[in-house]
Every structure is written in structure tokens, then in C-alpha cells.
Amino acid sequence: MRIVIAEDTAILRAGLAELLGVRGHEVVGAVGDGDSLLTAVDEYRPDVAVVDIRMPPTRTDEGLRAALQLRERRPEVGVLLFSQYIETRYATELLADRSAGVGYLLKERVADIDEFVDALDRIAAGGTALDPEVVTQLFGASRRTHSLDALTPREREVLALMAEGRTNAAIADTLVVTGRAVEKHVANIFTKLDLPPSDTDHRRVLAVLRYLQS
Amino acid sequence: MDSRTWRSALYALVYLPLGAVAGYLLLLLLAAGTLLSLTFLGLPLIALVLTCWRQFGRLHRRLADVLLGERIAAPHPLRPATGRLDRIGRRLGDVVAWRAVAYQIIKVPQSILAATVCLAPLAFGLWSATYPIWWSVVPENSGRHKHGFPIDGFYFDTWPRAFLICVAGLLVLAAWPWLLRGVLVLDRLLARGLLGPVRMSQRISDLEQTRALAVEDAAATVRKIERDLHDGAQARLVSLAMSLTLVQDTLRRDDVDLTRARTLVDTAHQGAKEAIAELRDLVRGIHPPVLDQGLEPALRTLTARSTPPAMVRFDLPTRPSPAIETIGYFCAAELLTNATRHSCAKHIDLTAKMTGGLLVLRIVDDGDGGADPAGGTGLAGLRARVRTVDGRLHIDSPPGGPTIVTVALPAHPAGG
């Protein structure tokens, strides 16, 4: 996979490049701010852009702005945003109209290289990758907590993993159950929460998030 | 008869309408307001009048500045009010406005006096000085002496006597500027006394300002700590985690590359040490632990690491309050940095002593000088921070010469 990294802290940029390289990905560009990111994507045509939210000049949400511009200009490029702390509002903005090929992870997630690379793969394939921390916060901040009580604990686990953007197969692996069991849980969840039917994994992420935030 | 005199004369004349007429208007309005205070219109009317007269006070100060050269500092502004009732209440209790009203009322007789002293001698002087001219022009009256005006039957009807009047007139004209200045001394005293800053409200305004500064300073410090942690220590630890992940990866393989593993572990180790050092610096920037033992050991440690070498002298028989020690320490630290970074000094001299309930820090460096609070070296911020505890910062820094910065802080702040 061809990857462009946008991260202003030099040691992290170098570290990420090395990690991704070790896992067999090609880091074709590593930049330090939003404008350079757009130029690099235009030039190198990567599959995924890994973008830090906090970048110069104001170090607030340049990365997010650049990522949204990228989504508009080059929708075929997947975007993985990462930051050192959770801001659920960023996740919402990023997923605003569509959730295909988009992800939001905590920087510390890179410490678990397998998860990180899995997230990248999901995004490159057009899926979604949300950090479990983000999902937990969204659940906690949701006003729908009492309707979530209608779900069994197992169903809530499945819902959380669904919100992270995982496929049924991945959920089955994580919970150590069969694929059919997962499908049944998903169907029950959609019925109990009265969610609109979704044909793809990333669309159901949107459905769940919209439900949580309404 | 210089410009100063003409401007003073203008001042006296301008105040004839401005003083007397405006004063009567003011009294009318206040009377109306008092009468109407039986209804709900009265108090708001008085409040409105007071607001206007506060602005008039500004006009009076301007006139005094332009025409009399009397510079009076502006009193504190009206503090913002919450809600309409509070707004009216504040304006009714506005000491500055009431003083302006008092000024206006006293000006009524005062302005008439000043205008009289301005015009009467001038008129008399001009008339008398030109007396010979039109005395000779007035036709002889039959049976009467040709005279100007009599004094006890003594008629000024001859040329020498006419010239006497002329001389008298010229003397009066010569004395006129002094008469004017004399009467305007009353005006100056009045303006200074009633239009200037009110001591207690000035103090309150001062405290509000420095409190706002202190609050902003605290917020900025917290933001800086967050930024330093995020960009420094946190980033290093994430990088450390990444290095260890790579080590894990390397060791998980069947064909373990030990050289690579060793390199990675060395990098990780180095990263950990750097993170520790950064955290240590950060803590020192927040509150150096040595400061708990006192200002003397803290400043000794601070200056021990400074280049150019700094000589320190202490005379601290008692310890000031901890907050003052902290402020003093950070002032000294910043001034030391300034001296080292901006002035290319070769010797720095730091003295800390307690005199008369004040902690006085003095930093002398033999660098380029030219230190200016407006210059953006943080001196203005330092002064503001020092002001929050009623301290003073004094800078003596001629260009090229040595720089002496003195910080005086109360050893135990009031109210603490």
C-alpha cells in the first residue's frame, strides 16, 4: 500500500514511517503541515493518507481541515486521522456525509502495530476505522443510553465493534463466536434500535453514529 | 504678549458661555430631575445629566490641556453595569461625574470673574493708551474744559496729563498678562482638584486591571504546560512505544535479527532518557523543587548554570511569603535569560535583599543596554506580573551602557 504521512513532530513522523515500512507498506511521502499534505497526495497518489490533527500553523485542527479537503478533492484516497487525545466532534465532522475510507485513531494505537495496520487495511478497502475510545465516548455522551439498555451485554459489545467499523468476520474473531451468531446479533440490534437497514459495513457505522448522536 | 497669554485669554473668554451658561443649564436640569424624582422620570434624568457631565469633564480637561497647558490625567472609566437598574445606579453614584458637576457649578462665578479680569483691564488699557488721540479729536465744549475724565475735580485737559493717562493705560496693558495668569491659577487648581483621577476609584481600577492580567497569565501558563507536555513528553513516549513495537516485531520473527534488535533497544532507551529530561525541565519551569528551601538556594542553583558567570549576593534575614518567592524567582530567571540572550553581557550581578518589608532584586549586566519594555523581550509582561502584587519593576538601560533592572516586591502581599 502506498501511504503519505502528515505529522509535524519529526520523531513521530520518522517512527511511523519505519513501522509502516517494516510491515511492507510504501511510505511515498512524509510532510509536516496541511498544505504540503494536499500537494503530496496530488503528486504521489497514495492509497491512504495518515494525518495528524494538530499541525502548524495554529496547531488546533489543521489536519482535520486538510483531511476534509482531501475527501472532497480525491475521494478515492483513504484518510486515517489520528490525534493524541479524543475529540468526538472531529470524528463526527469527518464522518459527516459518508464514512467510506475514513478512520480516526488515537496516536497511542500505533503501539499496537497489528491494530493499526488492520485499520489501514480497512480504510484502504473502503471501510471505516474508529478508535474504541472514540466509540466508548460516543456511547457515554449519547442521550440514548436508556434505549441501549434494551440490548443484551453481548449485543452491546457487537454494537461497539460495529461502530468501530469492523466487519462481521472481524467481530466474530474478536468475540470468539461464529459468523452466524454475529449476524443474528446484528439483526436483533437493528430491530431493537429501529435502525435503517445498511448494506455495507461502513454505512452501518454511520447509522449507529447517527443514532447515538440524535 | 506671547501665545501663552493669548491662549489663556481665549480660555477665559471661551468659559464665559461654557462656564456660566452651561452651569445654569446644569442647575436647571438637576432641579428638574430632583422635582421629577417624585415620578419615575427623575432619577434616570439625573443619571443622564451625570453621564453628560462626565463627558463634559473630558472636554474641560481637553481645554485645560490645549489652552492652559495643564495636563490632567483622565479618571477611571465607568465600569460596565449589569442590567438597566444597575446602570442607572452606577451613574448616580459616579464620583467622577459628581465632581465634574461641582466643577461646572463653581465655574459659574469663577468664569465670570476670569472673563472680567480678562476683558476689563484690556479695555481700560486700550482706552487709556489711546486717550491722547481722541482727546485731541473731541471738539471744545463751550465753557467746559477739554477733558477725558475727572478725578476729584482734577481734569486731564492738557497734553502732559493726557500722556499721563496714556502711560497709565500702557502700564495696565503690560500688567494684563500677569493679572490674567493670576486669576487663572484659581482655574488650574479647580481643574486639577475636581477633574483628575479619584484616588480610591483609581486604586480599584488598578486592582481590576492587574487581576485581569493575573487571570490571563494563569490561563496562558496552563496552556503552555499542556502544549509542552503534548509536544514534548507525550510525543517522546509515543515514539518510545513505536520503537518497542518494532523490537517486538523483530523478536517475533523466526530469523531474529539481533543486531537490529539491539539498535532498536538502544534507540528506545535513548528516547526514554530524553523524555525524562524533558519532564524534568518542564517541572523546573513550573515550580523548581529547590525553591521550597528558599530563594537563596534557588537563585544560587539558577545562576550556577548561567553563562556568562553571574555573581550573587544575598541579604535575606527572613523569608518572604512563598508566592513572592516564586514570583521573584521567575522574574530573576527571565531577566537572567534576557541578559544572556539579548545583551551579550560578560558579567552579570544579581543581588537579593530585604529592605523595609520589600524584597528587592537587582540584576546588573554589562551588555549592550537598550532594554525597553516595549521591545517585546517580555519586560512588559514581567512588569504586569509584578504589578499584580503591587510590586515595581524599574529599568535603567541606556544604549551601550550597563543595564540595571530592579524588581521590588512586598515581602508579604496585602490581603494574603
Side-chain angles (χ1 to χ4, degrees), chain A residues 49 51-53 61-72 77-83 87-105 123 127-131 134 205-206 209-210 213:
Chain A
V51 183
D52 181 14
I53 285 189
D61 62 355
E62 277 74 5
L64 180 62
R65 305 282 137 236
L68 292 171
Q69 269 189 294
L70 199 54
R71 294 277 282 160
E72 244 172 86
V77 175
V79 172
L80 172 57
L81 265 182
F82 66 124
S83 69
E87 187 72 53
T88 46
R89 154 176 86 85
Y90 293 156
T92 318
E93 256 193 86
L94 194 58
L95 296 162
D97 47 305
R98 57 201 169 91
S99 53
V102 138
Y104 181 25
L105 289 185
I123 293 170
T128 319
L130 281 186
D131 195 290
V134 177
V205 173
L206 261 187
L209 289 181
R210 286 222 182 95
Q213 291 173 321

Side-chain angles (χ1 to χ4, degrees), chain B residues 149-304:
Chain B
F149 64 99
I151 299 183
D152 280 343
F154 188 80
Y155 289 101
F156 292 88
D157 51 0
T158 60
W159 273 101
R161 293 177 193 167
F163 269 112
L164 213 60
I165 298 192
C166 174
V167 164
L170 287 171
L171 283 173
V172 168
L173 279 181
W176 175 71
W178 303 106
L179 289 169
L180 191 57
R181 243 167 251 183
V183 81
L184 285 180
V185 162
L186 284 168
D187 273 85
R188 284 173 197 270
L189 288 173
L190 205 62
R192 275 211 168 273
L194 288 175
L195 295 179
V198 181
R199 264 183 51 130
M200 175 132 93
S201 326
Q202 197 63 41
R203 176 77 176 145
I204 294 178
S205 162
D206 225 17
L207 285 172
E208 281 177 337
Q209 255 189 327
T210 52
R211 181 181 64 180
L213 279 169
V215 164
E216 271 185 39
D217 211 26
T221 308
V222 167
R223 270 201 301 276
K224 186 166 178 303
I225 294 174
E226 189 266 323
R227 223 182 26 241
D228 286 341
L229 279 174
H230 178 277
D231 298 339
Q234 211 172 358
R236 282 199 193 278
L237 287 172
V238 171
S239 167
L240 182 59
M242 284 199 268
S243 297
L244 289 174
T245 311
L246 285 169
V247 174
Q248 270 183 324
D249 241 32
T250 316
L251 293 175
R252 238 188 262 148
R253 292 177 195 277
D254 295 325
D255 52 336
V256 176
D257 183 352
L258 277 179
T259 324
R260 180 163 158 76
R262 281 194 206 108
T263 322
L264 288 170
V265 169
D266 284 339
T267 317
H269 190 226
Q270 187 61 30
K273 287 198 288 190
E274 280 169 13
I276 295 172
E278 272 206 40
L279 279 171
R280 194 199 333 124
D281 282 341
L282 188 62
V283 165
R284 204 189 301 134
I286 301 171
H287 179 90
V290 64
L291 193 52
D292 289 335
Q293 296 168 29
L295 203 50
E296 192 174 324
L299 286 177
R300 278 197 199 280
T301 319
L302 181 69
T303 50

Side-chain angles (χ1 to χ4, degrees), chain A:
Chain A
M1 220 191 302
R2 293 163 62 82
I3 301 179
V4 163
I5 302 176
E7 158 67 61
D8 62 319
T9 313
I11 43 170
L12 289 178
R13 197 164 58 229
L16 263 178
E18 191 172 357
L19 267 181
L20 292 170
V22 160
R23 280 314 177 92
H25 297 295
E26 197 188 341
V27 176
V28 293
V31 298
D33 67 78
D35 294 326
S36 318
L37 170 67
L38 295 165
T39 326
V41 167
D42 281 336
E43 196 178 324
Y44 296 111
R45 307 302 186 91
D47 302 306
V48 180
V50 176
V51 183
D52 181 14
I53 285 189
R54 244 196 194 184
M55 285 205 282
T58 70
R59 323 198 88 221
T60 45
D61 62 355
E62 277 74 5
L64 180 62
R65 305 282 137 236
L68 292 171
Q69 269 189 294
L70 199 54
R71 294 277 282 160
E72 244 172 86
R73 276 167 41 173
R74 297 210 172 278
E76 74 277 8
V77 175
V79 172
L80 172 57
L81 265 182
F82 66 124
S83 69
Q84 252 161 257
Y85 56 91
I86 299 279
E87 187 72 53
T88 46
R89 154 176 86 85
Y90 293 156
T92 318
E93 256 193 86
L94 194 58
L95 296 162
D97 47 305
R98 57 201 169 91
S99 53
V102 138
Y104 181 25
L105 289 185
L106 278 179
K107 257 189 210 181
E108 61 203 56
R109 231 29 90 194
V110 300
D112 193 340
I113 185 72
D114 295 322
E115 285 245 6
F116 188 58
V117 170
D118 179 67
L120 274 180
D121 289 334
R122 287 214 301 275
I123 293 170
T128 319
L130 281 186
D131 195 290
E133 267 300 313
V134 177
V135 171
T136 314
Q137 276 216 12
L138 283 172
F139 271 49
S142 170
R143 278 170 283 155
R144 299 285 202 130
T145 34
H146 57 276
S147 10
L148 292 179
D149 290 339
L151 303 172
T152 69
R154 187 54 119 190
E155 282 166 359
R156 238 172 290 152
E157 279 179 320
V158 172
L159 182 63
L161 290 169
M162 251 171 54
E164 283 175 40
R166 300 193 181 262
T167 61
N168 282 358
I171 298 176
D173 273 340
T174 315
L175 298 178
V176 195
V177 292
T178 62
R180 288 231 10 96
V182 172
E183 278 168 35
K184 241 181 59 177
H185 285 310
V186 168
N188 286 345
I189 292 169
F190 270 72
T191 320
K192 283 192 191 171
L193 299 183
D194 202 12
L195 288 173
S198 307
D199 46 350
T200 50
D201 292 334
H202 70 83
R203 269 201 244 279
R204 65 185 190 186
V205 173
L206 261 187
V208 173
L209 289 181
R210 286 222 182 95
Y211 176 80
L212 286 175
Q213 291 173 321
S214 57

